[in-house]
Amino acid sequence: MTVKGVLFDFSGTLLHVETARSWLRAALRATETHVDEEELDRLARLLDEAGALPGGSTPRAVPARLADAWARRDEDANLHRVAYLGLARQVPLPNPELYEALYVRHKEPAAWQPYPDAAEVLGELRRRGVRTAVVSNVGWDLRPVFRAHGLDGDIEAYVLSYEHGVQKPGARLFQAACDALGLAPGDTLMVGDDPYADAGAAAIGCAVHLVDKLPPAERPDALRRVLDLVG
């Protein structure tokens, strides 16, 4: 197989979201809400267990009233908002403004950290003439995050689930990404961290390479393997 294009997942593949503690601390600061460190740790743990941070932990349980929004959260921006605000509201917080502040925060570039080798790999693919796209299950526009971190110049297309009304592993999203690059699936490699969602690209003939969803400090060079696969 000659790889002419690479499709990358976003969260857990190219960038990693901040910790629940950092996320909550930013929202507290934005709303001028003060809690002591012990309470900060407690609330962050509860929010993490609730799965309220997009890109963070999976919810331990999803309330029945949120089940539909959760299942389709990345197909529509409003459903995404409903799902994650609903999960956060399971945790009593000291200021009602915090729920909105938390939702706003997770979309800010400062909430995301690129993996150490992301820029290097994207730049090298561009130098080799390999076309690249981001294919993400997401309920909001992540392009500003890539621009803020200096990664946007090496990405040719963004195929985001909420803009297409379909989530991975749905074949239509992967096909849309191949079409955006003008490539056949058989010439394309999908790189992601989710063996269910990202491996769905195999159904249309893409090769698939999975990386571990670890904090950036624990995964300094996993994306470099992509360069070996491209050749």
Side-chain angles (χ1 to χ4, degrees):
M1 173 186 177
T2 299
V3 176
K4 299 179 180 178
V6 180
L7 313 179
F8 286 98
D9 174 52
F10 163 53
S11 175
T13 300
L14 288 174
L15 295 98
H16 195 280
V17 75
E18 66 187 331
T19 65
R21 193 178 194 279
S22 173
W23 174 56
L24 176 56
R25 185 185 290 280
L28 290 166
R29 186 166 54 246
T31 58
E32 298 183 345
T33 305
H34 303 284
V35 299
D36 62 30
E37 292 299 305
E38 183 177 352
E39 181 67 354
L40 172 63
D41 287 340
R42 186 185 74 85
L43 293 174
R45 185 185 73 254
L46 292 175
L47 287 165
D48 186 58
E49 292 172 354
L53 172 57
S57 300
T58 301
R60 286 192 174 182
V62 176
R65 60 186 171 78
L66 296 176
D68 182 65
W70 175 255
R72 300 191 297 122
R73 64 193 180 281
D74 292 322
E75 296 176 9
D76 177 88
N78 185 60
L79 288 176
H80 189 273
R81 178 184 175 83
V82 167
Y84 282 103
L85 281 176
L87 291 173
R89 286 186 173 122
Q90 295 179 99
V91 180
L93 297 177
N95 182 345
E97 295 179 3
L98 280 166
Y99 300 106
E100 180 65 26
L102 287 168
Y103 190 77
V104 169
R105 168 66 182 185
H106 96 272
K107 296 190 285 184
E108 294 176 354
W112 295 90
Q113 180 182 353
Y115 280 93
D117 53 350
E120 172 194 344
V121 169
L122 290 172
E124 178 61 18
L125 289 173
R126 183 182 182 89
R127 188 188 70 77
R128 296 185 189 184
V130 177
R131 310 195 71 179
T132 57
V134 171
V135 186
S136 178
N137 280 352
V138 67
W140 49 279
D141 186 5
L142 49 74
R143 295 173 183 86
V145 173
F146 279 78
R147 286 196 293 270
H149 289 289
L151 302 176
D152 184 63
D154 294 320
I155 303 293
E156 295 188 47
Y158 294 88
V159 180
L160 310 182
S161 59
Y162 84 102
E163 294 180 339
H164 292 261
V166 62
Q167 301 177 107
K168 297 181 291 185
R172 185 156 61 89
L173 205 64
F174 298 114
Q175 187 63 58
C178 292
D179 292 345
L181 296 182
L183 298 174
D187 296 326
T188 308
L189 171 69
M190 175 68 208
V191 180
D193 66 286
D194 189 326
Y196 171 69
D198 296 317
I204 65 166
C206 297
V208 175
H209 175 66
L210 297 175
V211 294
D212 292 325
K213 182 182 179 179
L214 295 170
E218 298 176 29
R219 209 198 78 191
D221 57 5
L223 291 173
R224 292 195 182 108
R225 173 61 178 151
V226 173
L227 300 178
D228 297 331
L229 296 172
V230 168

